[in-house]
Structure formats: C-alpha cells, structure tokens
Amino acid sequence: MNSILSALAEPNRLHIVELLRDGPLTVGEIADRLGLHQPQASKHLRVLSEAGLVEMQPVANRRIYRLRPQPLMELDAWLASFRRIWEERFDRLDEYLLELQKLEQKHDDKP
Amino acid sequence: MNSILSALAEPNRLHIVELLRDGPLTVGEIADRLGLHQPQASKHLRVLSEAGLVEMQPVANRRIYRLRPQPLMELDAWLASFRRIWEERFDRLDEYLLELQKLEQKHDDKP
DNA sequence: TTGGAATATTCCTGTCAAGGTATATTCAAG
DNA sequence: CTTGAATATACCTTGACAGGAATATTCCAA
C-alpha cells in the first residue's frame, strides 16, 4: 500500500501510469511523451515496477511496459473502507464533543 | 491529485487518515496512538490539512481534526478511470505488438 | 563483425522533507 | 495573575530521492 502510494506520488510516474492506461508503451515512447531523458524514464519505470504497478516484456531491443491492475485494485479496496464517510455523511463530530465533555466532568470529580 | 497522493505516501500520515476514519480526534490523541511526539503530529496534520484531507475545529485548548471526504472522492474518481483495465481484462498488448511490426515494415521500405 | 539504436545502470550533486528539540501561543482553572 | 496543559512554529541536522551525464549492455542490420 505504501510503496504504491509513494510510487504514484511522483508527478512523472503518475503521468506514466496515466499514459499506460491507454495501452502498453516502450521506454522511448514514454520518455518522448513526457519530455524526459531516457535514463530518468527507465528509473521511474523501475520504481513503478518494484511497486508492482507495471510489468515489462522484452521484444528484441525494446522493453514494452504495461499496467498491472492488482495494485490499483488494492488502492480501490482501501478507498472502499472510506466510502461510507461520504455516502452516509458519516461524521461523529457531535458524538465526539459529547465524549470530550464527559471526560471533563469526570476530571472535575473530586474523589 | 498530486498533493493528495504525496500526503498519503507518508506512513504516519496514512495512519492518521485511517485513525480518523473512525471519527474525529485531537492532536494529542493522534500523537499518542501513533507513538509520535506532539510536534511531528502537528506537522503531519498541517500537510494533511493543506491537501484538504482533514479539517480542524478548535475547542478551547484543543484542536479537533476530522476527515474531509472530497479528496478521497477525487482519488476514487481517478481510480475509476482505470477500472475497465481490470474489469474487462483490457490489455492491448497484442494490438501494440502488431503496431510495432507495422512500423518496422514501413521502416524497411526504401523510397 | 561492426555500428548504431534502445535500454539499464552508475556516479554525482542539489533539494526537500522528516524527526528532534526548544520555544511561542492560547486557554482554563485556581 | 499565575500556572500548567494543549498545540503550533522555528531551527537544525540528516537521509532519501530526482535529475544530469557518462557508460555498460543487448540486439538487429548491413
């Protein structure tokens, strides 16, 4: 979960993932479209690869990179656990304020 | 989108967000549960706040922090654009290989 | 078999962010 | 008004990471 998020947190890498959403690409094409030098593209792809976000298939000289769905599915599952917050307007602030108040009162009790 | 991801990429901050999923908390409580010093907790909350992931309401001495759904909804929407990839087993690798082959042939044509 | 294209790796450097510590601020209670 | 609790901020140091440039590797074609 964490390696996924930090992989996606880098703007160029996020951009790469978005590029690959439309289909596989070679390193050179990715570097071109992002205006990156080839080594930086390779390095970003390495990070994405270690996070499991992409996989590579060599074809002669080139390396074709494509998305792997699993990490995105994990992220989706994680997000799902928050969905009630916006679907049910789940808040609990009032509840929490009451609890705080109770704690204050207990604190005031002299034993 | 980017500030959201980099905010969540830090393990302690991800943890804070998960804590707040169950309801609002004060800075001190958050620091306690994560085993953080109070200043670090405040700093992480600042980052989360700037990313719009949390909001704060002062109550006397304390600051109560709670989740804000919107950024998580944005993340969800972004993820949605990838959902076809794993729902339809969308791949396009074969397509792409064919395209590559065509390019090779064109490259071989002597004008 | 030699050359050039495509890619990965290495080394260097600068920047940024996180933790630690000290301090400032605000508030309630006595 | 003073004290202590809760929180935010500032400053410093250190480690991680991204970009740049050079180089190694692999493969195809002539």
Side-chain angles (χ1 to χ4, degrees), chain B residues 6-52:
Chain B
S6 39
L8 294 175
E10 208 285 329
N12 290 312
R13 286 196 292 262
L14 184 67
H15 206 319
I16 291 180
V17 168
E18 287 172 337
L19 275 185
L20 294 181
R21 177 176 45 191
D22 300 327
L25 290 174
T26 58
V27 178
E29 289 172 316
I30 293 173
D32 281 353
R33 304 206 192 178
L34 295 212
L36 289 179
H37 295 155
Q38 173 267 321
Q40 340 299 336
S42 283
K43 283 189 247 181
H44 284 309
L45 285 166
R46 186 156 165 49
V47 176
L48 288 172
S49 182
E50 281 166 355

Side-chain angles (χ1 to χ4, degrees), chain B residues 98-110:
Chain B
L98 288 180
E99 273 184 35
L100 267 188
Q101 230 173 344
K102 282 186 199 166
L103 287 181
E104 302 293 328
Q105 288 172 356
K106 268 189 190 168
H107 183 263
D108 287 354
D109 289 348
K110 318 284 185 186

Side-chain angles (χ1 to χ4, degrees), chain B residues 60-104:
Chain B
N61 233 358
R62 337 202 171 179
R63 310 293 156 99
I64 303 183
Y65 283 86
R66 59 181 157 177
L67 273 187
R68 267 172 40 91
Q70 199 215 352
L72 296 174
M73 294 173 69
E74 281 181 39
L75 191 50
D76 192 59
W78 183 80
L79 262 187
S81 70
F82 290 85
R83 225 155 261 155
R84 45 188 313 227
I85 292 179
W86 68 79
E87 279 177 359
E88 309 178 8
R89 297 211 149 281
F90 187 69
D91 192 312
R92 287 205 177 163
L93 184 57
D94 303 339
E95 265 180 66
Y96 187 70
L97 289 175
L98 288 180
E99 273 184 35
L100 267 188
Q101 230 173 344
K102 282 186 199 166
L103 287 181
E104 302 293 328

Side-chain angles (χ1 to χ4, degrees), chain A residues 2 11 14 18 21-22 24 26 29 57 62 66 73 76 78 81 83 86 91-93 96 104, chain B residues 2 11 14 18 21-22 26 29 57 62 66 73 76 78 81 83 85-86 91-93 96 104:
Chain A
N2 199 287
L14 185 66
E18 288 173 338
R21 178 176 45 191
D22 299 327
T26 58
E29 288 172 316
Q57 171 170 348
R62 336 202 173 179
R66 58 181 158 174
M73 293 173 69
D76 192 58
W78 182 80
S81 70
R83 225 155 262 153
W86 69 78
D91 192 310
R92 286 204 177 164
L93 185 57
Y96 186 70
E104 302 294 327
Chain B
N2 199 286
L14 184 67
E18 287 172 337
R21 177 176 45 191
D22 300 327
T26 58
E29 289 172 316
Q57 170 170 350
R62 337 202 171 179
R66 59 181 157 177
M73 294 173 69
D76 192 59
W78 183 80
S81 70
R83 225 155 261 155
I85 292 179
W86 68 79
D91 192 312
R92 287 205 177 163
L93 184 57
Y96 187 70
E104 302 293 328

